[in-house]
Amino acid sequence: MPFLFIFAITLIDLPFPGSLHLGDLLIVVPVITAWYASPRLTAMVCAAAVAALVAIYAVRQSASPPQMAALIVTSVFTAIARYLSKRQQREMVKVRREMVQVRTVSEAAQLAVLPPLPREAGPLRLASVYLAAEDEAHVGGDLYAAVRTPTGIRLIIGDVRGKGLPAVGAAARLVGTFRGAARQQDTLPDLAASLDSSVRSDASEVAGPERAGESFVTATILEIPDREPVVRSVTCGHPPPLLLRADHVVTLEASQPAPPLGLAPLLSTTYCTDTFSFCAGDTLLLYTDGVIEARNAIGAFYPLVERLTTRTDSHSTRLLDHIRDDLLTYVGGRLGDDAAMIVVERKPFETGAGAHSEPDGSAQQSGTHHCRSADPAA
């Protein structure tokens, strides 16, 4: 089409009488061609347009230096601009391919470090989400895991001190240790002590004995039996879970919270189990500090409890989607720190002997604490 246009203008302009030149219209041909043609075709059209205008002026024995100069300058800059545009497009395609590769590797790393939780486990519905603060990252120093046992399910949610690959490695090692120890240890305090020992051992190997105390993990470890309407927890320096029951949001505060995993030798540590009622229709929300420490444009923290009081659905997946979308909207789409959340919903079931619910909405049961002192030599 551009060559036909140049040919037509040339044939019409050669016999055109007077001083009017249709050849001046050739200046638009290179510009229009550059919109859709390749750099090579654009350069050929520019050369053809200049040659046609030279031929017209030569045959008509007239000269128009300004129009000729305008066409030459326009053609040169159009050809250069089209070449640079094509080069930029190639770079963008390359960058997009690299981003796809990075995203694929990140997704594979997430599946390796944090496999998705089962949607259902006995009488429970589960849902989880990980929101990484780093661009194109899918996993960081936050962690969670669930292990099915003969009597129920054990879960952990935690946050490794630090960022980057060291935090990812520490999270992966702790998740692996939890999956093995959760089936071997009889009680939650024993499990917490085992995890503390593992964190200290890993820190000593990676960072050296002199810096082992600088590595620690805040965590909450839970156990939910299949046949008892309760949840047992050990808190190690981690934000407390939230119990959603009807229109109430109850914070499950630990009676004797322990320090983060990895710091037992530095403090006189006792791991205590707290037992709370967890009946049919109740929902637990576990989260890391990246949720409650997220800030909006004016620096205000995300009011998690207040947002939960206005919820309209307690179904695990829909509730988690609601919190995630609300959190990202609150912070303007970008978090300052990694954030992880788990929602556990108790499905209706037939309670066995001794099972009961709390008619007054209270979440904690009295007289149910089991403690174990951490062995610094472990």
Side-chain angles (χ1 to χ4, degrees):
M1 292 301 296
F3 289 112
L4 289 177
F5 184 79
I6 294 172
F7 184 69
I9 290 294
T10 304
L11 291 181
I12 295 173
D13 197 31
L14 286 176
F16 207 86
S19 60
L20 182 61
H21 286 281
L22 294 181
D24 294 340
L25 297 176
L26 293 174
I27 196 172
V28 302
V29 180
V31 177
I32 296 177
T33 303
W35 290 354
Y36 62 87
S38 65
R40 178 178 297 181
L41 180 57
T42 301
M44 294 172 61
V45 170
C46 291
V50 172
L53 189 59
V54 170
I56 291 173
Y57 287 147
V59 172
R60 298 188 59 172
Q61 297 183 352
S62 61
S64 180
Q67 284 78 5
M68 182 66 68
L71 178 59
I72 294 175
V73 172
T74 301
S75 299
V76 171
F77 278 96
T78 299
I80 294 175
R82 186 65 188 92
Y83 170 76
L84 295 177
S85 176
K86 183 66 175 181
R87 183 177 179 181
Q88 184 179 18
Q89 291 176 0
R90 291 174 179 172
E91 292 295 330
M92 291 179 63
V93 170
K94 182 179 179 181
V95 170
R96 283 196 292 267
R97 289 176 179 174
E98 292 177 351
M99 291 175 62
V100 170
Q101 293 176 352
V102 170
R103 188 178 297 112
T104 302
V105 172
S106 298
E107 292 173 352
Q110 183 187 37
L111 292 176
V113 177
L114 300 177
L117 300 182
R119 293 185 177 181
E120 294 192 2
L124 306 176
R125 294 192 186 98
L126 298 93
S128 61
V129 66
Y130 195 106
L131 302 175
E134 297 292 337
D135 293 337
E136 299 303 323
H138 290 256
V139 65
D142 290 7
L143 61 97
Y144 54 76
V147 173
R148 187 79 174 138
T149 67
T151 59
I153 190 172
R154 285 179 170 177
L155 302 101
I156 185 174
I157 186 167
D159 185 3
V160 178
R161 176 187 179 273
K163 296 181 180 295
L165 292 179
V168 175
R173 290 189 293 271
L174 182 59
V175 168
T177 301
F178 171 78
R179 292 186 176 280
R183 295 186 177 93
Q184 298 174 358
Q185 301 297 333
D186 294 331
T187 66
L188 289 186
D190 292 337
L191 177 56
S194 176
L195 296 178
D196 178 88
S197 176
S198 174
V199 171
R200 286 186 280 119
S201 297
D202 290 340
S204 179
E205 292 178 2
V206 175
E210 65 281 355
R211 301 188 61 183
E214 299 178 7
S215 300
F216 57 84
V217 182
T218 66
T220 295
I221 309 167
L222 299 98
E223 180 180 71
I224 305 176
D226 288 344
R227 298 185 177 275
E228 297 179 70
V230 298
V231 55
R232 304 183 183 97
S233 67
V234 170
T235 301
C236 303
H238 199 76
L242 298 177
L243 176 67
L244 285 62
R245 172 177 295 163
D247 296 331
H248 303 284
V249 179
V250 182
T251 302
L252 304 185
E253 296 283 359
S255 59
Q256 299 182 45
L261 299 175
L263 299 183
L266 305 180
L267 303 168
S268 179
T269 302
T270 300
Y271 296 109
C272 291
T273 301
D274 294 288
T275 304
F276 306 92
S277 66
F278 186 47
C279 305
D282 290 351
T283 301
L284 276 175
L285 173 63
L286 314 175
Y287 56 93
T288 59
D289 57 8
V291 176
I292 57 177
E293 294 180 359
R295 299 174 181 264
N296 61 8
I298 62 175
F301 290 116
Y302 179 69
L304 178 59
V305 175
E306 295 179 13
R307 299 290 179 138
L308 290 175
T309 57
T310 61
R311 71 190 187 281
T312 58
D313 196 338
S314 294
H315 186 277
S316 57
T317 303
R318 292 191 289 270
L319 175 62
L320 193 61
D321 291 342
H322 168 75
I323 300 173
R324 178 195 60 198
D325 296 342
D326 185 60
L327 174 63
L328 293 177
T329 301
Y330 185 84
V331 300
R334 186 183 181 91
L335 292 171
D337 191 11
D338 294 344
M341 291 180 284
I342 300 176
V343 172
V344 184
E345 178 188 3
R346 169 83 78 172
K347 297 185 294 184
F349 72 106
E350 295 182 0
T351 59
H356 65 280
S357 61
E358 300 288 342
D360 61 353
S362 174
Q364 184 160 0
Q365 299 188 32
S366 60
T368 52
H369 304 288
H370 176 72
C371 299
R372 179 194 189 280
S373 296
D375 182 8

